[in-house]
Amino acid sequence: MPTLEDYKGQTPAWCPGCGNFNILRSFNEAMVEMGIEPHQFTIVSGIGQAAKFPHYTKCNTFNGLHGRTLPVATGIRLANHEMIVMAVAGDGDCYGEGGNHLLHAIRRNVNVKLFVHDNQVYGLTKGQASPTTGEGTKTKNQPFGVFSSQLNPMALGVALDCSFVARGYAGDSEHLKGLIKEAVHHKGFALVDILQPCVSFNKVNTYKWYGERVYHIEPEYNPEDRLKAFERSLEWGDKIPLGIIYRNNRHTYEDMIPVIKESPLVNQSFDLSKLEAALKEFY
C-alpha cells in the first residue's frame, strides 16, 4: 500500500494560505486511501499556479502549453487506457484559453478526470480577471470592473451532458477528498470545479466569503435528474452547493474505438515497414 511519503514531490512555492495546499493534500490522501501507486496514473497540466500541482506530487507528469491540458490528457488516455489520467488546470487555463478543448472533451466523454482550481483570477500573472470573475469586480487590469458576464462551469457541464459534474471547496478537505475519489471511480469524463481562495490577488472571494455561502448537497439529492441538476447548477451567490451536481452513464470514447477496444495501443505490435511503405506513396 502506498503512503503519503510516496507522493512527496518538490517543496510548493505557493503563497502561504493558498487554497492549493489543501487541494494537494486532499488529492494525495485520496490516492493513498484508494491504494493507487504513483506509477499507476499520469497528471497533465498547462500553465498557471494550479499547473504547478504535478511538480509537488510524485507520479507520471506532462506539463505542457497554456490551455492545452485536455488534448494531451486525451492523447495519453487513448494511447494507454489502462493508465489513470488526470488533468489539473486553473480557471483561466481551462475555461479561458482551453475553453474550446473543454467543450469537446465533455462531448467525447474520454475517461479523463479534470480538476479545476477555480480562484476566479489569473493568479500566476498577478490577479487579472478570469472567465469566472464576477461581473463588475475591479482588478488592476479592470479598474472600471469586469464587463463580461461570469462563466458558470457547473451549468455549462450540465448543459453539455457532461458525464460527471461536481464542485468542491479547498476549505473543506474531507469533502473534497471524497469528491476526488468519486471522480476517479466514475467511468467517463469528470469535471470537478474546486473553489479555491487566492489570498494574494482575490480580496473578494475569501475563505470568510465562501464559509458564509457553501453548503453540502443533501444525501437524498439525485444527481442523475438532469433538470434538477440544472437548477442546482444555477445556485450562486448567497448559497453555493458542494457535491456531485450531475452524473450519467454514457459510453466512453475509448469504448467506441474498435482499434483500442480490446487492448491498449501501447500493448499492440507495430510494424515499421508498413509505415515506411505508406510514406513512399506520397514522398
Side-chain angles (χ1 to χ4, degrees):
M1 287 290 290
T3 67
L4 283 176
E5 190 65 24
D6 296 328
Y7 292 91
K8 191 173 182 179
Q10 300 174 30
T11 302
W14 293 317
C15 302
C18 175
N20 280 332
F21 286 100
N22 284 349
I23 299 174
L24 178 64
R25 186 179 67 190
S26 297
F27 181 86
N28 287 343
E29 288 180 355
M31 295 302 110
V32 169
E33 292 179 14
M34 288 188 290
I36 299 175
E37 302 279 355
H39 70 272
Q40 292 178 306
F41 67 96
T42 297
I43 296 182
V44 183
S45 69
I47 299 296
Q49 294 291 358
K52 296 177 181 176
F53 185 94
H55 303 177
Y56 305 147
T57 192
K58 198 171 289 180
C59 62
N60 303 297
T61 298
F62 188 101
N63 195 190
L65 300 175
H66 204 1
R68 309 300 172 231
T69 306
L70 287 173
V72 175
T74 299
I76 294 171
R77 179 68 189 177
L78 294 183
N80 184 5
H81 60 271
E82 290 182 348
M83 171 74 71
I84 300 169
V85 180
M86 318 216 193
V88 176
D91 43 300
D93 186 45
C94 183
Y95 302 143
E97 282 84 351
N100 182 50
H101 299 304
L102 175 63
L103 300 184
H104 296 290
I106 291 174
R107 184 174 62 85
R108 294 183 180 112
N109 198 32
V110 66
N111 202 342
V112 167
K113 318 305 173 187
L114 170 63
F115 302 103
V116 182
H117 299 209
D118 188 354
N119 60 13
Q120 299 173 259
V121 292
Y122 282 87
L124 184 69
T125 44
K126 314 306 180 194
Q128 73 268 36
S130 82
T132 54
T133 305
E135 187 174 352
T137 302
K138 293 183 179 179
T139 74
K140 290 180 180 177
N141 278 13
Q142 287 85 20
F144 303 110
V146 174
F147 298 142
S148 303
S149 60
Q150 183 178 11
L151 179 73
N152 182 335
M154 299 291 91
L156 178 69
V158 177
L160 293 175
D161 202 21
C162 181
S163 188
F164 184 98
V165 180
R167 178 187 282 126
Y169 171 45
D172 191 344
S173 300
E174 278 300 308
H175 183 262
L176 176 58
K177 181 169 64 177
L179 281 185
I180 292 170
K181 289 180 181 178
E182 293 273 4
V184 172
H185 286 310
H186 178 75
K187 185 178 180 182
F189 184 81
L191 166 61
V192 182
D193 186 74
I194 305 170
L195 302 174
Q196 175 233 322
C198 176
V199 295
S200 295
F201 300 110
N202 188 338
K203 303 302 182 184
V204 176
N205 309 110
T206 62
Y207 285 102
K208 181 175 184 299
W209 190 91
Y210 283 121
E212 294 170 348
R213 290 165 172 80
V214 295
Y215 75 95
H216 294 167
I217 292 176
E218 57 278 9
E220 59 270 24
Y221 173 76
N222 176 14
E224 297 183 5
D225 186 329
R226 195 175 179 191
L227 288 178
K228 294 291 185 185
F230 195 68
E231 289 179 5
R232 194 58 67 102
S233 73
L234 295 177
E235 287 188 18
W236 183 267
D238 293 337
K239 293 179 64 181
I240 302 174
L242 302 179
I244 301 173
I245 290 176
Y246 180 59
R247 182 172 57 202
N248 65 42
N249 295 304
R250 296 163 51 203
H251 289 296
T252 66
Y253 197 56
E254 303 94 299
D255 287 343
M256 294 183 285
I257 301 177
V259 175
I260 63 172
K261 189 174 181 179
E262 302 300 329
S263 176
L265 202 58
V266 294
N267 293 339
Q268 297 183 29
S269 60
F270 178 67
D271 186 349
L272 186 60
S273 65
K274 291 182 179 178
L275 175 61
E276 291 173 342
L279 289 174
K280 284 179 181 177
E281 291 184 24
F282 301 99
Y283 298 100

